[in-house]
Amino acid sequence: MEKEIKSYEAQNKTGNKVLDAVLTSKSLYCQNKGIGFTCVADGTLLNLWQRWISVLLFGNILDNAIEGAEKIPEKEKRLIHLSVAEQKSFLRIRVENYCEEKIVFEKMEFHRQRKRTSGFHGFGMKSIQSTVKKYGGSVTAGVRDNWFELRILIPLHVV
């Protein structure tokens, strides 16, 4: 019964069936990995998008946040927050995840610096940036007080 309740809690009802499917899938994954995932999303803002755009964009955004959260040893710090809302005629997407790794920003490309090697590991942000740019939007990111924050703004008239 507890498993069924957790499964129900993972379901998302945003007003967009494709976004609901992506969020529910990622939410269930987070539950299984001990990652706290909260989401406040108005999926109706995405109803004019082609389905694959929502899957691609939100899949990549959440995969990146999950990858970062999985590396946190303390389960109480494995946290991801996602919001999707309208702000002054823009679609605003914001995701935050707790992060203890050093993040290096180079020409709007983000890399995690590995402690064991001198190399860098890419976030895979190029797909997100490309999709957002295609719709005249912007992507910004930063780290403050061990919280990585990704912010996306896309004009709603092109969505």
Side-chain angles (χ1 to χ4, degrees):
M1 189 162 131
E2 185 177 326
K3 187 176 180 179
E4 288 179 21
I5 291 171
K6 285 190 181 265
S7 175
Y8 180 76
E9 288 174 349
Q11 293 179 11
N12 289 270
K13 306 285 186 210
T14 67
N16 180 291
K17 290 181 181 184
V18 174
L19 182 60
D20 292 348
V22 171
L23 294 177
T24 298
S25 169
K26 300 302 180 186
S27 183
L28 286 169
Y29 182 87
C30 286
Q31 280 183 3
N32 290 332
K33 295 293 184 175
I35 299 170
F37 175 63
T38 59
C39 176
V40 177
D42 180 356
T44 63
L45 299 169
L46 308 174
N47 283 339
L48 297 178
W49 271 8
Q50 295 175 335
R51 290 183 180 128
W52 67 269
I53 295 170
S54 293
V55 172
L56 178 71
L57 186 62
F58 286 95
N60 280 321
I61 289 169
L62 292 172
D63 284 347
N64 291 340
I66 289 167
E67 180 183 340
E70 285 179 318
K71 295 179 180 193
I72 305 296
E74 302 94 348
K75 287 195 177 193
E76 67 275 2
K77 291 182 180 179
R78 292 181 179 178
L79 301 169
I80 299 171
H81 306 292
L82 172 70
S83 67
V84 180
E86 181 177 353
Q87 182 178 353
K88 297 182 181 181
S89 300
F90 284 88
L91 169 65
R92 180 181 50 85
I93 302 168
R94 180 178 168 193
V95 66
E96 301 171 293
N97 62 280
Y98 190 79
C99 174
E100 292 180 341
E101 292 181 282
K102 180 173 171 59
I103 305 292
V104 178
F105 298 90
E106 297 174 356
K107 298 178 186 177
M108 276 308 291
E109 291 185 15
F110 315 106
H111 304 277
R112 290 187 181 118
Q113 188 171 10
R114 293 188 179 204
K115 294 180 181 177
R116 294 186 187 130
T117 66
S118 60
F120 292 93
H121 175 67
F123 266 115
M125 293 287 291
K126 289 182 182 183
S127 178
I128 293 169
Q129 291 172 317
S130 173
T131 301
V132 171
K133 186 177 179 179
K134 178 179 177 181
Y135 289 92
S138 65
V139 179
T140 57
V143 177
R144 187 177 58 192
D145 298 327
N146 287 76
W147 283 91
F148 178 84
E149 180 182 29
L150 176 70
R151 295 171 303 279
I152 297 172
L153 286 174
I154 301 172
L156 279 171
H157 69 275
V158 297
V159 174

